[in-house]
Amino acid sequence: MMLDVIVILQAGVATGTVLLFATIGEIYAQRSGVMNLGVEGMMLIGAMAAFSVAVTTGNPWLGLVVAMIAGGLLSQIHAFITITLHADQVVSGLALTFVGTGLSLVLGEGLSKAGTVALLPNFSIPLLEQIPILGAIFFSNHSVMVYIGYIFVPIAWYYINKTRPGMHLRAVGEYPAAADSLGIKVYRLRYLYVFVGGMLAGLAGGTISLAISPGWFSELTTSGQGWIAVGLVIFAQWNPVRAAAGSYIFGALRRLVLDIQGPALLFGLENPFYYNPYLGFFLQMIPYAFTIIVLVIGSQEANRKRIGAPAALGLPYIRGERGQ
């Protein structure tokens, strides 16, 4: 039974790394005042781009770079519509998901039959993997992207909370008019951090196709993980460290869901859920239900203040307009 738990938690760390990149990317965007619900679409375009480039060139690292660029460029559609045209951020984000999904499937047609693809390396960390239980979960036979995720979390937290650019980011998301009066370029920073969010969503998608669930691409590649990332932003209260914890927890839950649906024994007992179609439908809707619940909670003004949401989140900034 203990071995089953370690396997689930180890797989949860790997799967959670995908959520981690996407969630922190969305944290950057929302900290600047822009909510982008198009994470799922940007992840899919990133997964397609990474897989396609890796198949063509044999270089998975180049695939990740292209995935980040693709996700970032796609995000600028949302940035233009919401920042320059002042359109509704929720509607634009939902539309971006449809655009990203459609583009990835059209451009990625036939990739599932493309053959062998170069993948990112897996390895263990010497000495650390010998730590009882924790070593097997966090430092044994993981993709390089998992270890990059460990480093990325404290860097993201420090940048947001302890640096001058991070202070400008928080100012733009809290009170853009005051930031503008101090010479901070509100529009420029919002464009920048939406782009950063798109790049990290693309990186998350590329991580799926080249590291976590490697060797294939289809419309099921992301499986709703973009929606979970959006919900995790609020769940984590816009804090990268909390986002990491939430990402790994949900990653473990996703692996547990797969085990529940599989024919193998579950914790040493015969699996009573195997081949239960009703359970499968229920489990597939969990990411979307979770996102809806969290967004409803986060949309209430009292809850927004209590959980520390950026005050200008979702509100277009129009220079010279009072009340901003």
Side-chain angles (χ1 to χ4, degrees), residues 22-282:
T23 301
I24 293 182
E26 182 66 7
I27 285 175
Y28 277 115
Q30 292 197 18
R31 280 281 192 175
S32 74
V34 181
M35 178 182 292
N36 188 352
L37 299 185
V39 178
E40 182 84 359
M42 294 185 294
M43 286 178 66
L44 267 174
I45 203 74
M48 181 278 299
F51 190 88
S52 177
V53 171
V55 168
T56 304
T57 66
N59 188 335
W61 294 106
L62 181 59
L64 283 184
V65 171
V66 175
M68 295 175 69
I69 294 173
L73 290 177
L74 185 64
S75 74
Q76 294 305 279
I77 299 175
H78 178 68
F80 176 74
I81 292 173
T82 58
I83 299 171
T84 301
L85 302 183
H86 308 129
D88 185 272
Q89 295 181 6
V90 173
V91 174
S92 176
L94 292 174
L96 191 69
T97 290
F98 299 138
V99 170
T101 301
L103 276 177
S104 65
L105 296 181
V106 171
L107 297 177
E109 185 178 4
L111 281 181
S112 60
K113 303 176 182 178
T116 304
V117 60
L119 303 177
L120 295 167
N122 279 36
F123 58 91
S124 301
I125 303 294
L127 299 179
L128 293 180
E129 67 171 332
Q130 303 300 324
I131 300 174
I133 302 178
L134 293 180
I137 295 173
F138 291 101
F139 304 108
S140 179
N141 195 33
H142 280 302
S143 166
V144 62
M145 299 307 296
V146 172
Y147 302 120
I148 290 175
Y150 296 160
I151 300 172
F152 184 65
V153 172
I155 292 176
W157 180 89
Y158 185 84
Y159 179 87
I160 292 173
N161 295 285
K162 299 296 182 178
T163 67
R164 181 174 293 275
M167 180 182 68
H168 291 173
L169 166 62
R170 300 197 311 273
V172 167
E174 292 290 343
Y175 198 179
D180 197 4
S181 68
L182 294 174
I184 298 173
K185 306 297 184 181
V186 175
Y187 293 117
R188 182 182 301 174
L189 284 183
R190 286 191 168 183
Y191 266 98
L192 171 63
Y193 286 110
V194 171
F195 184 75
V196 169
M199 290 182 67
L200 289 174
L203 176 63
T207 300
I208 297 176
S209 59
L210 299 181
I212 306 305
S213 299
W216 67 286
F217 171 78
S218 78
E219 70 275 10
L220 301 177
T221 295
T222 55
S223 300
Q225 292 182 76
W227 295 108
I228 296 178
V230 173
L232 279 175
V233 173
I234 301 174
F235 178 82
Q237 299 182 1
W238 295 267
N239 184 320
V241 177
R242 290 175 180 263
S247 297
Y248 295 141
I249 290 171
F250 268 84
L253 290 176
R254 283 177 60 83
R255 172 55 192 259
L256 180 60
V257 165
L258 292 175
D259 285 355
I260 286 176
Q261 297 181 86
L265 298 180
L266 186 64
F267 301 130
L269 303 174
E270 184 176 351
N271 189 348
F273 303 109
Y274 182 46
Y275 285 145
N276 187 329
Y278 300 104
L279 177 66
F281 287 126
F282 173 75

Side-chain angles (χ1 to χ4, degrees), residues 297-319:
I297 294 173
S299 67
Q300 299 174 7
E301 188 63 29
N303 286 329
R304 284 168 57 90
K305 293 180 179 178
R306 180 171 58 83
I307 64 180
L313 178 60
L315 302 177
Y317 173 63
I318 304 174
R319 178 174 291 175

